[in-house]
Structure formats: C-alpha cells, structure tokens
Amino acid sequence: MPHRAHLFSLRIGHALRESCLQEQYGRQRLLKDVLAGITVGIIAIPLAMALAIASGVAPQYGLYTAIIAGFIIALTGGSRLSISGPTAAFVVILYPIAQQYGLGGLLLATVMSGVILVGMALVRLGRLIEYIPEPVTLGFTGGIAVVIATLQLKDFLGLNLTALPEHYAGKVAALVSAFPGLHWPSLVIALLTLAIMLLWPRLKTGVPAHLPAVILASVITLLLNRQGMDIATISSQFSYLLPDGSSGQGIPPVLPEWIWPWLQPGPGGSELTLSWALLRDLLPAAFAIAMLGAIESLLCAVVLDGMTGKRHSANSELLGQGIGNIIAPFFGGITATAAIARSAANVKAGAESPVAAMVHALVVLAGLVLLAPLLAYLPMPAMAALLMVVAWNMSEAHKAVKLLKTAPVADMLVFLTCFSLTILFDMVLAITVGILVAAVLFVRDIAEMTRVSDISGHRRLLETPLPAGWSVFKINGPLFFAAADRVFSELAEMSRQRRGVVLYMDGVAILDAGGMAALGRFIERCREEQIEVVMADLQYQPLKTLARAGVKPVSGELTFYSTLQEAMEKVAKAPLTAVG
C-alpha cells in the first residue's frame, strides 16, 4: 500500500518533508547534497543558457529559470532528486511562441501552463505517464531531437539567417538556401566542441564533457576573433538594458527582478496588451506546455525511482511543477520541468534530498552574478554543438532502433506516426494522434482475442451428455463494442437448426453497452428461430450489467445458471422443454 499511497498523495513539499523531516537528516547528508548541488549547478549554467537561446530568448532567461523554478520546484515538489529547469524537449513548443508573441507571450503561456499543472495535480492525474505507450514517447522525443538539431544548424554552420520559418520544411529550405554562406571558422569551433564532448568521456575524469568543451572553444574563439574571424558569441548576439538606463553586451550581472510577464517585450519589442483574446490565443500553447511538462517530470521521477529505489509522489510533483511555472515567469523564467540528464547527474553525484536541487539553483545564481562577464565569451557555434549532443541523448536512438527491429508492426506504426508528425507539424498533434492510433490498434488486438468455440464434444468439461439438437459454446475474452458484433454473428451462424444453445461465459470478464446490444440482438434472433438460450457461469461484471439492463429469465427462451454443470443437468433433465 505505500506505493499506492505515493501515487495518490498530494501535498506541497512532499519530497522535502519525506527526505528531511520524516527521515534523519544530519550533517553528512547535508554535505552530500551541497556537493551534488554544486556539481549539477556547474553543469546547468551553460545548458540553461543554450536552451534559452534555442527557445528564442536571451540566455539570461534560461539562468533565471534554473534559479527560480529550480529552487521552487525542489521546495514544493514530490520527487526527491529531480533537477528542474529549461529542457530541450520544450524547444519545439517555446520557439514558435517566442517568435510570434515575444518574451512576454512566452512567459504568460508559462504561467497558464503552471495553472493547468496545478489543476492536473488537484484532480489526481499523477498517473498520466502510465497511459502513454512507449512508442508514442519514443516517437515524439525522437522528433523533438530532430527539430532541435535542425534549429542548431544555423549557429553550427555560422549561417547568416535572422530567423527560421515556422514549419519544418521551410526551415530546411531556408538552411539549404543559406548554406553557400557557410562560415568556416564557426564550423571549426562547432566541430571542435563536438569532438571534445564525444572523446572526453573516454578519459573517465568525472568532469562533465561539455565543461572542458565550451571552455576550450571559448578560448580558441577569443584568439580567432582577435585575428578578425568574427565568430558569433553571447556578447555579440545579445545585449541588455538595466532599469537604471545602463546597457551592455551579453548577460546582465544582476539578480532576476519581479516584473509582470505581459510587461516583458512582446513581438517586435513592444509590450503586450493583456486581454481575454490573448489568453485564448495562448491557451493551446499553454496546454501543450503543461502536457509535455507533466510527461517529462513524471518520466524523470520514474527513472530516478529505478536508480535509487525510492518512490515519488506523482501528484505532488505535478503540484510543484505547476507552482514553479506560475512563479518563475514573474522573475523572467521561461518554462521549466524536470531534466532527466541533470537529475541523473544529481543522483550519481551522491544527492540525498531536494536540498541538492536548491543548492544547484543557488550555484546558478552565483554564476549569473559573478561569472556574467566570462559567460559572454561563450561562442554560439559551441552552444549549438552542445545542444546537438543534448538532442542526440534525448532521442534515445538505441531504443528507437530496437523498437523498429523487434516490436510488433502496430507499435512501429505508432512510433513512425508520432515521429513524423512531431517533425512536420507539432508535438501536440503527434501525441494526440499517436495515442489515438495506439488505442485503436490496441482495441483491435484485444477484440481479436475474443473467441467463440463449440465445446459440445469436450468430455472433460461436459460430464453430462447433451440432448439432441443442443450445443455448448464457450466464449473467451471481453464482450465489448469492438468484438461483440463479430462474436454474436458467429454464434448466430453456429446456432442455426439448433433446439437450444448453452453459452459458457466463465471466460468473459467484461460486457459493455455494445456487447449488451449485440447479445440482445442474438437473443431476439434465437427467440424468432425458437432456439432456447442458456447462459452459464457468468462473472460479476457481466452479471451486474445484465441486471442493470433488466434482462430476466424467460421460461423456454432464456435461463441463467451459476455453473456449467448445473446448466447441463437442467438441460439433460428437460430436453423436450426447448422451443421447437
């Protein structure tokens, strides 16, 4: 029961209470949390910046997200070791919003998604992840990875493109047309970063590969730019304006400040006008953000449970994610959710509780205030290479390949549908269609499992001989809308020229409205052909359904018996009572 209790529990700060208050939490565990938080915080700084850029906003907003949302979700959520912040999965949703509505629209959509997540927690939708088939998950994550990698080609190749079209085909066309303008120094930096990230793990130093990669790339970029190579960096691409009127290049070295989300720059840099029309327009995007945030956070929590043997509270985690996404945008934070890679690094670093995630947020805050001038030197091609590796890791290509090689054709179809729709259209459509296709194929497979067989000659089951003109049919499987018509049509054909039939129902666990209607038509047809119907060994649910439908025994037409043996004895004793 404790696992079930975790599934349905809902309280703010569930993970923090459980790991720090209900369990003994001393200096040793605190030290482990601090060290793990420092490790993950260092990892998160360049990632948060890169993901903000990929989402269409300035890099500091990614840092604000890791600081505010990372701290609040750890404080209020239900997963002990999850690290929350900007993630790659959101890029395909956030980038179009930022392009169309600006930063203000993106932050407002994030607040709305947080409200939806809180609502999902309150109605106990924490088990949401259990209802999404693996081919759907692999399909949309693989599609997201392809889109993210495509978006990075502009900076990876140093192409002169101000913005990419909304649809994928347009993006590819724009990249191809701009390819002759390839900037070789940018490509060299990107390839160098990529090579270090791929080769560094072989040294087994314990230092995350992207740290030496971006540091070395930044140093070489600085040297090359002094030679006039003009490689894009954070400082050359982004600028900021402080409240006191001062401005600068790169990232502002100040703490995030409270500001109403809709007062942030909208499309073209102008302020948004808060209205019902704007909220209505942003609602589909907010719903998509909430759904993906729920899936990502719960999937991350399940992965961490497998790594640690602990149990998360799914509903409490949704609540924490919702609270974090409501509050963070008021400080400039974009959408946040649990990040599987950073959370796994947190576990490997020895974290014990959500305190590690809070320390991670404070480390990012220190990096923002103390390292902002240095972070401005990060080259854009290196950030693009970093995100390409992130995209590859999130794609779980090895699982997708295994699925395509070993899974049933139906699962392959679902995967390819989600994968294609995510790339060509959007993730919401992909998940919706994927789940619908998976559900239809599943219903078809279950319907095909329902069988009817003639067991009239089965001596082990039928100890009592059958009278002439009688048959016994055994039904195995659920009698629901997708199977019932076929089963009772087969029964009608097999019952022709019979005086009576016994329906052995012990293998029927479910009888729904569609099954009830098909059964009614069968009984009516038997009545017209003067065939007596005897039903034996009904399970509880079908029996309850028949009772609610008001189906009652009719002498000589329809009778019920609790066991097959009892039915056979009655039929054997009164064979001539059958109609016809």
Side-chain angles (χ1 to χ4, degrees), residues 438-501:
V440 169
L441 294 175
F442 175 75
V443 168
R444 183 202 64 181
D445 292 342
I446 295 299
E448 290 177 353
M449 292 173 60
T450 304
R451 293 279 189 269
V452 57
S453 55
D454 189 340
I455 61 169
S456 303
H458 200 299
R459 295 304 172 203
R460 283 201 310 174
L461 287 175
L462 307 179
E463 299 176 2
T464 305
L466 274 171
W470 280 79
S471 294
V472 180
F473 299 111
K474 180 175 175 60
I475 303 176
N476 275 312
L479 285 174
F480 67 119
F481 64 93
D485 277 333
R486 173 182 57 81
V487 168
F488 285 112
S489 294
E490 292 176 8
L491 270 173
E493 290 299 316
M494 297 166 72
S495 302
R496 288 187 180 278
Q497 308 302 319
R498 300 280 87 193
R499 294 175 59 197
V501 295

Side-chain angles (χ1 to χ4, degrees), residues 419-457:
F419 181 77
S420 303
L421 290 177
T422 301
I423 294 173
L424 298 176
F425 296 98
D426 62 69
M427 188 208 70
V428 178
L429 178 64
I431 293 179
T432 303
V433 173
I435 291 177
L436 287 175
V437 171
V440 169
L441 294 175
F442 175 75
V443 168
R444 183 202 64 181
D445 292 342
I446 295 299
E448 290 177 353
M449 292 173 60
T450 304
R451 293 279 189 269
V452 57
S453 55
D454 189 340
I455 61 169
S456 303

